[in-house]
Amino acid sequence: MDARLNFFGDPAVGQVLKPFMAAGKAIRALPLPASTHELVALRVSQINGCAFCIDMHTKEAEAAGETSVRLHLVAGWREATVFTDAERAALELAEQGTRIADGAGGVDDEVWAAAAKHYDDEQLAALVAMIAFMNAANRLNVITRQPAGGYKAGQLH
């Protein structure tokens, strides 16, 4: 499978993606635990069917020391016992924030309160920005059919 656009080889495409990737880097610098960042990025990407981002965030999480058990259970996190209450709150926030287009009504007050119980305002801002960024990245990759499987940890971080 070939990508419809070459994100890094086409200068015109690069003009658009360079500031977008800088925003992603800025979000990663915010005070959110790396494991939470990768787990949430992975879950958003699973929901959106973005194979490139699933590949990327699985490998980044592994490189950061995440276990294969937890990575395999992200898709079924509600029934899994391997996630902390804080991670569960972040995953629920990510799901509701991602499923806005499904007519689910957005993020409800209970989900926001659960996240706010575990994360301060700066971390909540990081979570919200990261969820929005991942949804945008997923759409860029899915629309242009970016192939998955060849990502190397650290390649884009």
Side-chain angles (χ1 to χ4, degrees):
M1 179 162 118
D2 292 327
R4 290 174 169 161
L5 286 175
N6 182 344
F7 284 162
F8 302 104
D10 183 319
V13 176
Q15 287 179 7
V16 173
L17 286 183
K18 187 175 180 181
F20 183 78
M21 295 304 290
K25 186 175 182 178
I27 292 166
R28 289 190 61 77
L30 294 172
L32 188 66
S35 60
T36 302
H37 179 96
E38 296 301 339
L39 293 172
V40 169
L42 178 57
R43 185 63 190 130
V44 170
S45 300
Q46 289 171 337
I47 293 167
N48 289 325
C50 182
F52 181 87
C53 290
I54 292 168
D55 182 36
M56 175 179 165
H57 292 288
T58 299
K59 290 174 180 172
E60 291 293 347
E62 287 174 336
E66 191 58 73
T67 69
S68 61
V69 170
R70 284 169 44 94
L71 291 174
H72 291 301
L73 289 173
V74 168
W77 65 267
R78 283 182 179 81
E79 293 80 26
T81 60
V82 297
F83 301 106
T84 67
D85 288 343
E87 290 167 338
R88 298 170 73 72
L91 289 165
E92 182 66 30
L93 180 65
E95 285 198 10
Q96 285 196 6
T98 298
R99 295 186 188 279
I100 291 170
D102 296 346
V107 176
D108 65 43
D109 291 339
E110 289 176 8
V111 169
W112 184 263
K117 178 179 169 185
H118 297 284
Y119 301 99
D120 63 25
D121 284 351
E122 194 173 17
Q123 291 171 317
L124 285 168
L127 267 173
V128 170
M130 198 268 299
I131 292 164
F133 178 84
M134 284 310 306
N135 274 282
N138 291 165
R139 281 154 177 75
L140 285 168
N141 288 321
V142 170
I143 291 167
T144 61
R145 292 188 180 161
Q146 296 300 313
Y151 183 83
K152 306 280 187 254
Q155 181 178 331
L156 295 177
H157 290 294

